[in-house]
Amino acid sequence: MSDARPILLFDSGVGGLSVLTEVRTTLPNAPIVYVADNKGFPYGTKTEAEISARVPALLGRLAERYRPRLIVIACNTASTIALAGVRTALDLPIVGTVPAIKPAAEQSQTRVIGVLGTNATVRQPYVDDLSAKFASDCLVLRHGSAELVQLAEASLRGEPTPDSAYADVMAGLLDQPGGDRMDTIVLACTHFPLVADRLAAVAPRPLTFVDGTKGIARRVAHLTRDEEWPAIPTPGIVVFTAPIEVSPGLQASLAEFGLSKIDCL
């Protein structure tokens, strides 16, 4: 008999859909529950204490309700702050999201890389540690942007977003000393791959954008390699943590990601 327990992907908003895309490509028949913590959104402007308290407790409630076989914290901010706490609290596999500094350093020719994330992520000591371990011979520049998170959310709702807003975000990174030599940018927020094409379009020169979504999907596949899956794909469930009016544009976008059922915690 196939195992109907889902994979649960968790983010503050729609950013984790970039991870969901890769998980579905790797495991097309896996049942999916996608959770957007719209009640706590956005995470990038919250304190470490707020996130450390909120995320493990919320994932505990979600685990009781949906009985997942594995949880993916598809959010860089939540992972860099609360991953250890979640693993302590829950007795099931937890996959976190790590800024892709290692592959960026491996690809960079100029040895100048950028880390574009939320304000909370880019200030974490974890980013210092990754830079020291994998990019010690690189100049690593960082920029935190709450605005880009909002642009990604608006884009998924089908709302127009101006090129100038993306250009301003890129300038915050590229205009730093040494930014003129940057050739590789780490998208250290799962929202940002959703608008990578917009960032590339306004960049003053060709740049390589790197994210960790494929690595997360490989990790999920490895941890579930001996498990059974349903014979055919099933409709995915999207869960919001507070009541929300799902606009036609958002509903259409969610359907494109295979999420046709809507629930509220």
Side-chain angles (χ1 to χ4, degrees):
M1 178 178 288
S2 65
D3 188 344
R5 289 177 301 150
I7 293 171
L8 190 148
L9 293 97
F10 174 84
D11 184 35
S12 61
V14 302
L17 295 174
S18 64
V19 178
L20 172 58
T21 298
E22 298 298 337
V23 171
R24 280 202 180 277
T25 298
T26 305
L27 298 168
N29 289 3
I32 297 293
V33 173
Y34 181 88
V35 181
D37 183 18
N38 59 312
K39 186 174 183 178
F41 179 87
Y43 282 5
T45 57
K46 285 185 165 48
T47 67
E48 284 80 352
E50 288 175 311
I51 293 171
S52 294
R54 179 170 183 78
V55 172
L58 181 53
L59 282 173
R61 291 174 58 198
L62 290 162
E64 288 182 2
R65 181 163 178 170
Y66 294 100
R67 300 295 178 185
R69 68 181 78 198
L70 178 146
I71 291 176
V72 179
I73 303 180
C75 173
N76 289 82
T77 302
S79 293
T80 55
I81 295 171
L83 181 59
V86 173
R87 285 177 169 161
T88 299
L90 299 181
D91 186 23
L92 72 165
I94 310 293
V95 177
T97 305
V98 177
I101 291 172
K102 181 181 180 181
E106 291 171 346
Q107 294 182 42
S108 176
Q109 299 297 309
T110 65
R111 314 314 292 158
V112 180
I113 64 178
V115 177
L116 187 60
T118 66
N119 295 317
T121 293
V122 299
R123 67 173 179 252
Q124 291 304 310
Y126 194 71
V127 178
D128 296 330
D129 295 341
L130 289 172
S131 300
K133 186 174 182 180
F134 298 116
S136 59
D137 64 335
C138 295
L139 174 62
V140 180
L141 302 176
R142 311 180 196 186
H143 179 58
S145 176
E147 294 80 9
L148 192 56
V149 175
Q150 298 288 355
L151 288 168
E153 292 272 334
S155 180
L156 203 81
R157 293 193 297 267
E159 300 170 8
T161 52
D163 285 345
S164 59
Y166 297 94
D168 288 345
V169 172
M170 290 294 287
L173 191 60
L174 297 173
D175 289 355
Q176 296 180 41
D180 58 325
R181 295 185 288 115
M182 187 182 300
D183 66 349
T184 307
I185 295 177
V186 178
L187 298 177
C189 170
T190 54
H191 279 78
F192 297 172
L194 298 173
V195 290
D197 58 335
R198 300 294 300 276
L199 296 172
V202 301
R205 59 184 182 277
L207 294 164
T208 298
F209 294 92
V210 180
D211 65 73
T213 56
K214 285 183 171 61
I216 295 168
R218 287 193 297 269
R219 182 62 177 163
V220 171
H222 175 74
L223 290 172
T224 59
R225 63 193 181 279
D226 298 323
E227 299 187 14
E228 297 291 331
W229 300 102
I232 59 173
T234 56
I237 302 171
V238 60
V239 182
F240 295 99
T241 58
I244 182 175
E245 182 178 345
V246 179
S247 67
L250 178 57
Q251 189 165 15
S253 293
L254 292 171
E256 289 178 4
F257 286 91
L259 301 172
S260 57
K261 296 183 178 181
I262 298 174
D263 200 357
C264 187
L265 186 63

